[in-house]
Amino acid sequence: YEHSLTEKSCQEFLKSVGPILQEQLKEYSKTRDSYIEQFWYDAYLNYDSPVVLNLNPFIMLEDDPTPLQSNQISRAASLTTSSLRFVRALRKNELSPDKLKNGVALDMDQYPKLFGSARIPNSTGCVLQTDAQSRHVIVLSRSQFYWFDVLDENNDLILTENDIKLNFQTIIEDSEMTKLNDMAKSSFGILTTENRRIWATLRSKLQHDEINSEILRIIDTALFAVVLDHVEVKDSLKDMAKNFLCGT
C-alpha cells in the first residue's frame, strides 16, 4: 500500500511541478560548479538544535592492528602523524584523484575542508570557516585545551611520531595536576552542546575578552582536535554502564 502511494506521488510530481523545478535547477546550475552544494550547506548549517546526538557526523577508524604493543598515547601519536602526512600530501597536490569503478574521476573540492575547519555559530545557525594556512593541532585532556605547531610554512611535518608522543604524554601529566575546581572553570567546551543560537550568544560574550577571543581563534583554526580521554573517567563510565545494565 505504501509503495503504491509513493509511486502515485512520484507520478503526480512528474506531471505537475517536477519538470518546472528541473528546468529551474538546470538554469541555476549554469553559474555554479555544484548545483547541490549551497542547498547542502543551508540544510546542514542552518540547523539550530544542538549538534551533539542530533547532527554529529563522524568516521569510524579500524581497530588498532597491534593492540598488545600500543597504548592510548602511542595510538594517538600514530593516527596524528598519519593524518598530518595526509594533510601534507593534500596541500602539495600529491593525492591521486578518487575514481569510480569505471575510472571516472570524482570531484575532490571538499577535501581541503577536512582540516582547519570549524562550525561557527551565529544568530541564524552556523557558518563553516576554513583556515587554509593552519599548522597546529589542539589536544584535549581532562577538559583542558592545549595546542602545538605540527607543520612548517611548506606544510612539511616538523615533529616525528616520537616527538608527538612525548607532547601527548606531557599534556596528560600536566592536565592531571589541574585541580577539579580549576578544571571546571575552563571547561567551556560543554557550551558547544547547547542550541546553536544560545551557543552563539555565549560565544559572543566570551569574545569580548581579548584572551578568550584568542583562545577561540586557536581552537577554530586548528587542523584538528585530538581528544585524550582520562583513563579514570573512562573506567568510571564503564562502571556506570555496568550498573545501568544491571539495573542498579
Side-chain angles (χ1 to χ4, degrees):
Y1 174 72
E2 291 179 352
H3 181 72
S4 62
L5 284 179
T6 301
E7 286 187 329
K8 182 179 179 181
S9 296
C10 290
Q11 291 301 324
E12 290 178 351
F13 177 77
L14 291 173
K15 294 177 181 178
S16 56
V17 298
I20 299 174
L21 293 175
Q22 172 68 3
E23 291 304 315
Q24 291 178 344
L25 191 58
K26 288 166 64 175
E27 187 65 28
Y28 172 85
S29 67
K30 290 180 179 179
T31 57
R32 294 165 176 79
D33 293 330
S34 171
Y35 75 89
I36 199 173
E37 185 174 56
Q38 190 56 50
F39 294 127
W40 185 89
Y41 280 137
D42 291 343
Y44 179 67
L45 297 174
N46 291 344
Y47 191 82
D48 66 349
S49 294
V51 294
V52 180
L53 298 182
N54 293 297
L55 192 65
N56 193 28
F58 64 94
I59 59 174
M60 182 70 73
L61 299 175
E62 292 185 4
D63 292 337
D64 189 345
T66 58
L68 299 180
Q69 302 175 23
S70 62
N71 53 32
Q72 180 199 41
I73 293 176
S74 61
R75 174 68 165 160
S78 176
L79 290 173
T80 298
T81 304
S82 297
S83 298
L84 294 175
R85 288 173 180 159
F86 184 85
V87 174
R88 178 190 177 280
L90 175 63
R91 290 184 171 178
K92 290 179 177 288
N93 296 318
E94 296 175 353
L95 288 180
S96 300
D98 284 340
K99 296 182 179 180
L100 296 174
K101 292 182 179 180
N102 60 6
V104 175
L106 295 172
D107 182 6
M108 298 172 65
D109 179 67
Q110 293 290 337
Y111 269 53
K113 296 182 177 65
L114 288 172
F115 303 98
S117 293
R119 179 176 178 149
I120 310 300
N122 59 24
S123 59
T124 59
C126 292
V127 293
L128 184 64
Q129 166 188 292
T130 301
D131 184 354
Q133 305 302 318
S134 175
R135 300 189 183 93
H136 67 281
V137 298
I138 58 172
V139 183
L140 280 77
S141 179
R142 299 187 75 216
S143 296
Q144 308 300 292
F145 288 80
Y146 300 81
W147 72 275
F148 55 88
D149 288 325
V150 289
L151 300 177
D152 63 18
E153 294 182 357
N154 295 317
N155 293 308
D156 290 316
L157 279 68
I158 60 176
L159 299 174
T160 65
E161 185 171 325
N162 282 333
D163 292 332
I164 294 174
K165 188 186 303 183
L166 178 61
N167 280 4
F168 287 166
Q169 180 64 53
T170 303
I171 285 171
I172 289 178
E173 292 174 357
D174 182 80
S175 69
E176 289 176 343
M177 295 175 61
T178 306
K179 296 180 180 179
L180 289 177
N181 288 342
D182 293 332
M183 182 177 73
K185 292 177 182 178
S186 59
S187 300
F188 64 87
I190 190 67
L191 300 177
T192 64
T193 65
E194 267 288 3
N195 174 283
R196 305 310 290 176
R197 288 185 175 85
I198 294 176
W199 168 219
T201 301
L202 296 173
R203 179 188 168 93
S204 178
K205 293 179 179 179
L206 284 172
Q207 288 181 305
H208 289 323
D209 179 85
E210 185 175 346
I211 295 178
N212 284 334
S213 180
E214 176 62 12
I215 291 173
L216 287 171
R217 186 196 65 78
I218 292 173
I219 294 174
D220 293 340
T221 59
L223 284 166
F224 52 84
V226 180
V227 182
L228 301 175
D229 288 331
H230 191 52
V231 175
E232 291 181 9
V233 173
K234 289 177 65 179
D235 290 341
S236 64
L237 290 175
K238 288 180 181 179
D239 291 338
M240 290 172 61
K242 289 178 181 178
N243 292 335
F244 176 77
L245 293 174
C246 294
T248 58

